[in-house]
Amino acid sequence: MGTISDSRNENEIHRKLIGNKHPKFLPSQPPLKKRKIRANRSSDPWQERFQDLIRFHIRHGHCLVPCTYPEDTTLARWVKRQRYEYKQLLKKQQQSRENGGLKKPSTSSTMNAERIKMLESIGFVWDSHQVTWNKMLGELEDFKKKHGHCEVPSKFPENSALATWVSRQRAQHKLYRKNEANSMTESRIAALNKLDFKWGVRCKEETKKK
């Protein structure tokens, strides 16, 4: 069971994460067991989950809750839902622009500016695909630190997912240059160029070892 000191420390970290902009979301935190009991009495489940996300951030240093997160499946589903509602909001705004605001958009969303501001204040990432891309970029960085280059072999048993990802980046870059449908962006190109990534090089099957 948590102590008063633990609760004060947690609240202090909360304030550092989101400042004093949303004081109503920083109540004095009772011990974890009591919090679970009181969660059922809450009139605003969204606020409850937001507090859970902050605690996840405190533990892990980020808001990238896995889709399959056994420790808190409710939080995992909630995070996925926030991304969905955000996409719905963007669609709603697009529909409103297209009809000049004369018709009510057919798309609805529970997301709003206040929730967006709160989630982004703790580093929430809206694009889950970008999350995966960033993860793979990190693995490529680790590969370069170990081998001195980014030429991941097409057959690389140590990390076959990285080998596939690297090949895909080159393929998407070719489509990007041809102005065809692709997932490549200028920011992604810049990130890979920063690692001295070779776009047109066929990697050797065996990694050079120093």
Side-chain angles (χ1 to χ4, degrees):
M1 181 176 291
T3 64
I4 294 176
S5 177
D6 292 334
S7 296
R8 288 176 178 172
N9 289 337
E10 185 175 282
N11 283 338
E12 182 60 29
I13 297 175
H14 283 204
R15 293 187 181 92
K16 288 181 180 180
L17 283 172
I18 65 176
N20 298 316
K21 297 179 181 179
H22 306 288
K24 65 181 178 180
F25 293 102
L26 299 173
S28 176
Q29 296 295 312
L32 185 58
K33 291 183 179 179
K34 290 185 178 181
R35 284 205 298 271
K36 288 184 177 179
I37 294 173
R38 293 182 183 181
N40 295 327
R41 302 175 186 175
S42 173
S43 60
D44 192 340
W46 196 95
Q47 293 183 20
E48 292 281 346
R49 299 290 78 76
F50 181 67
Q51 287 293 325
D52 289 341
L53 182 60
I54 289 179
R55 282 186 279 274
F56 179 93
H57 191 298
I58 292 171
R59 287 183 59 190
H60 302 282
H62 58 75
C63 295
L64 306 180
V65 182
C67 294
T68 53
Y69 184 53
E71 292 184 37
D72 194 337
T73 56
T74 299
L75 178 61
R77 288 195 298 270
W78 182 83
V79 165
K80 183 178 180 179
R81 184 72 186 183
Q82 301 318 297
R83 292 193 176 110
Y84 170 78
E85 293 295 341
Y86 180 74
K87 289 181 180 179
Q88 290 298 97
L89 176 62
L90 295 181
K91 289 181 181 178
K92 180 180 178 180
Q93 293 174 340
Q94 179 63 29
Q95 289 174 359
S96 181
R97 286 193 294 270
E98 289 176 351
N99 61 38
L102 300 177
K103 296 181 181 180
K104 183 178 180 180
S106 59
T107 302
S108 61
S109 172
T110 60
M111 187 56 63
N112 56 47
E114 181 69 6
R115 289 181 176 182
I116 290 173
K117 185 176 181 180
M118 291 171 63
L119 288 165
E120 291 183 345
S121 72
I122 58 172
F124 190 83
V125 179
W126 298 106
D127 188 346
S128 58
H129 294 294
Q130 185 62 35
V131 171
T132 301
W133 196 92
N134 289 342
K135 177 179 178 295
M136 297 308 299
L137 179 66
E139 292 185 15
L140 182 60
E141 291 174 346
D142 292 338
F143 179 94
K144 183 176 182 180
K145 288 178 182 178
K146 182 178 180 180
H147 302 286
H149 57 79
C150 294
E151 297 178 21
V152 183
S154 57
K155 293 182 180 180
F156 187 51
E158 292 181 37
N159 193 338
S160 58
L162 178 61
T164 300
W165 182 82
V166 165
S167 177
R168 179 173 173 76
Q169 301 318 299
R170 292 194 173 98
Q172 291 300 309
H173 186 254
K174 287 181 179 179
L175 294 174
Y176 175 86
R177 294 183 63 182
K178 294 179 180 179
N179 291 321
E180 297 180 9
N182 66 88
S183 61
M184 187 56 64
T185 65
E186 291 185 7
S187 61
R188 289 181 176 184
I189 292 173
L192 288 166
N193 283 340
K194 190 175 181 179
L195 295 178
D196 195 27
F197 185 80
K198 306 302 181 184
W199 296 103
V201 176
R202 286 190 176 183
C203 299
K204 296 180 180 180
E205 293 301 313
E206 296 184 1
T207 304
K208 297 178 182 178
K209 296 183 180 180
K210 289 189 173 183

